[in-house]
């Protein structure tokens, strides 16, 4: 019998008071019975509107139909046919703006919980042996720069076609933002590692501690017999506001703060990671990264954590679920406020932040109402740590060491509709092209680039 409930099947979560002090996963996932119950809400629409919202074209109604029948392994295989990282996407995709945003069930009630079902299938199969799909080698080599979501997708898609793929990663661990950016409580690192292990089982080679642009250049890679190169080097260069006091001890970029926690394991007691033991923290910004930084600060023991954001709650770009979880955990939202100065003590440490109140004026080019300063509304916020989460841009290393590779004024690599750059044989995707965006958009670019690289190499011969 179809389930005609107007609301999603509820999902178990850790109690907010408990989870605000630990790094274990917040959302606990569906049981097999709950997954089948939720899957039965799918109407299996003829035109599959949900699929038009998915950047990697997951065959959504097909996999959900299998879940409804209890055929979880079959459902997983359907997802994996187009999505290299289902356990990741099920957790961190902004489904509400994508597949679930197009779901017909959302017109009267809540859409089908597509993300939760995808996660369920991946988690169900996590401890089951799945035979690696090793393709017949086709004799062609491709190099991939960076090991984030767009690169992992390119590598997986090309490996399935028989290419000999090598990933060159600057850090000591593969995974990019999945490893250093998104916290453990949202995306456990064992899950990311499991997805990476699936790729290496398919024959993808990963070389870590390889800073392309320093150790080797793109031209040198091409001289080593790689017939195409994909650049998925991300956007790891943090932006600051340019206000007084940003050089004080206790000011972090969200990037650095999260990297110290996630990659350098500050969330584990046995690691002596250098990170401040903060009491009062202000995170500037309103995106998912700001939520991650604020919620991580709370878990490291801070007593008060503020989100300082210059627009109102309605304009907050973070996912609704992340905002809801942050509020439940006691994060205070100081909206319509903007920092103008970070205040230091006699030892050069942060002691406060001077802010001004804002009001919303006419819409700007982004379509959101422009924040306008209310003169004379300055006030001081007592803090010992400030975390700037106002965006990132691509590191200039690759474009500055690769003749013929062009970037726009924001430092993002210029590509055409096939993800081909201005240099022949070099493709790019993810945050290196778009600036900081979502995991799934990076993966969508990776899929497109893999198809284009395959065409390019076949036609070249």
């Amino acid at each position: 019998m179809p389930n005609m409930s107007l609301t999603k099947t509820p999902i178990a979560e850790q109690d907010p008071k408990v989870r605000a002090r630990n790094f274990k996963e917040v959302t606990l996932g569906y049981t097999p019975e709950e997954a089948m119950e939720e899957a039965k809400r799918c109407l299996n629409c003829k035109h599959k509107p949900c699929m038009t919202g998915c950047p990697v074209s997951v065959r959504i109604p097909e996999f959900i139909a299998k879940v409804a029948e209890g055929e979880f392994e079959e459902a997983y295989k359907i997802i994996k046919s187009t999505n290299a990282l289902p356990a990741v996407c099920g957790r961190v995709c902004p489904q509400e703006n994508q597949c679930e945003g197009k779901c017909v069930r959302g017109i009267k009630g809540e859409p089908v919980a597509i993300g939760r079902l995808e996660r369920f299938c991946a988690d169900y199969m996590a401890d089951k042996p799945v035979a690696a799909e090793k393709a017949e080698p086709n004799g062609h080599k491709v190099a991939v720069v960076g090991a984030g979501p767009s690169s992992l997708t390119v590598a997986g898609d090309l490996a399935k076609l028989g290419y000999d793929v090598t990933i060159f990663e600057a850090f000591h661990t593969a995974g990019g933002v999945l490893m250093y950016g998104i916290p453990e409580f949202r995306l456990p690192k064992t899950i990311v590692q499991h997805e990476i292990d699936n790729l290496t089982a398919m024959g993808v080679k990963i070389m870590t501690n390889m800073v392309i642009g320093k150790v080797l250049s793109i031209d040198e890679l091409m001289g080593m017999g790689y017939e195409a190169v994909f650049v998925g080097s991300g956007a790891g260069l943090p932006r600051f506001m340019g206000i007084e006091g940003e050089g004080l001890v206790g000011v972090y970029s969200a990037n650095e703060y999260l990297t110290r926690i996630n990659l350098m394991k500050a969330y584990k007691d046995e690691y002596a990671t250098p990170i401040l033991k903060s009491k009062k923290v202000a995170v500037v910004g309103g995106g998912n990264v700001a939520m991650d930084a604020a919620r991580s600060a709370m878990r490291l023991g801070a007593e008060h954590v503020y989100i300082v954001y210059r627009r109102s709650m309605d304009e907050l770009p973070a996912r609704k679920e992340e905002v809801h979880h942050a509020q439940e955990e006691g994060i205070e939202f100081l909206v319509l406020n903007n920092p103008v100065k970070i205040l230091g003590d006699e030892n050069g440490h942060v002691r406060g932040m001077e802010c001004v109140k804002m009001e919303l004026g006419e819409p700007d080019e982004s379509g959101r109402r422009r924040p306008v300063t209310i003169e004379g509304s300055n006030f001081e916020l007592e803090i010992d740590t400030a975390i700037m989460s106002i965006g990132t841009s691509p590191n200039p290393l690759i474009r500055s060491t690769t003749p013929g590779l062009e970037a726009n004024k924001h430092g993002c690599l210029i590509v055409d509709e096939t993800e081909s750059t201005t240099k022949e044989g070099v493709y790019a995707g993810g945050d290196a092209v778009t600036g900081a965006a979502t995991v799934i958009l990076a993966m969508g670019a990776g899929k497109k680039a893999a198809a284009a690289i395959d065409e390019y190499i076949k036609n070249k011969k």
Side-chain angles (χ1 to χ4, degrees), residues 83-325:
N83 182 355
L85 310 171
V88 171
C89 293
R91 286 168 165 84
V92 304
C93 259
Q95 287 101 0
E96 63 278 10
N97 302 331
Q98 293 177 166
C99 52
E100 293 182 17
K102 307 273 190 203
C103 175
V104 171
R105 290 302 302 263
I107 297 167
K108 285 185 182 170
E110 290 185 323
V112 175
I114 300 167
R116 292 176 185 178
L117 292 173
E118 180 176 40
R119 169 189 164 163
F120 167 78
C121 294
D123 289 359
Y124 180 83
M125 294 301 293
D127 50 3
K128 315 260 187 308
V130 178
E133 337 154 37
K134 259 199 168 172
E136 197 60 43
N138 65 14
H140 299 293
K141 281 170 61 171
V142 176
V144 175
V145 179
S150 66
S151 297
L152 296 176
T153 304
V154 166
D157 280 15
L158 290 174
K160 280 182 193 168
L161 297 170
Y163 286 91
D164 177 353
V165 183
T166 303
I167 295 175
F168 297 88
E169 165 56 42
F171 279 158
H172 60 280
T173 306
V177 73
L178 306 175
M179 280 294 196
Y180 72 75
I182 302 171
E184 183 76 6
F185 56 83
R186 237 174 22 101
L187 181 63
K189 302 306 151 222
T190 50
I191 282 164
V192 182
Q193 192 56 52
H194 180 71
E195 303 279 38
I196 291 166
D197 293 344
N198 286 343
L199 282 182
T200 52
M202 288 165 63
V204 174
K205 294 187 277 298
I206 300 177
M207 295 184 70
T208 54
N209 301 309
M210 292 293 281
V211 183
I212 300 304
K214 268 210 164 54
V215 182
L216 289 167
S217 69
I218 299 274
D219 287 327
E220 283 171 327
L221 285 175
M222 297 186 101
M224 289 161 64
Y226 292 102
E227 294 168 65
V229 177
F230 176 81
V231 179
S233 49
L237 189 67
R239 288 195 198 124
F240 286 91
M241 291 181 72
I243 58 176
E244 190 183 324
E246 282 183 317
L248 291 165
V249 177
V251 179
Y252 291 91
S253 69
N255 225 20
E256 181 194 350
Y257 190 72
L258 290 168
T259 300
R260 282 175 186 267
I261 293 169
N262 298 323
L263 204 62
M264 296 169 73
K265 305 281 194 279
Y267 65 92
K268 292 188 172 178
D269 293 338
E270 63 269 29
Y271 283 77
T273 310
I275 196 162
L276 280 179
K277 294 285 177 255
S278 312
K279 289 276 183 279
K280 295 183 175 179
V281 180
V283 180
V284 181
N288 290 328
V289 177
M291 301 304 134
D292 287 345
R295 296 172 69 198
S296 295
M298 181 67 84
R299 283 160 172 76
L300 289 179
E303 292 162 11
H304 294 282
V305 181
Y306 308 100
I307 292 276
V308 181
Y309 179 61
R310 63 195 187 132
R311 289 183 163 100
S312 76
M313 287 302 276
D314 291 340
E315 283 81 23
L316 213 66
R319 288 184 70 189
K320 295 269 185 289
E321 181 182 48
E322 301 309 317
V323 176
H324 170 66
H325 282 156

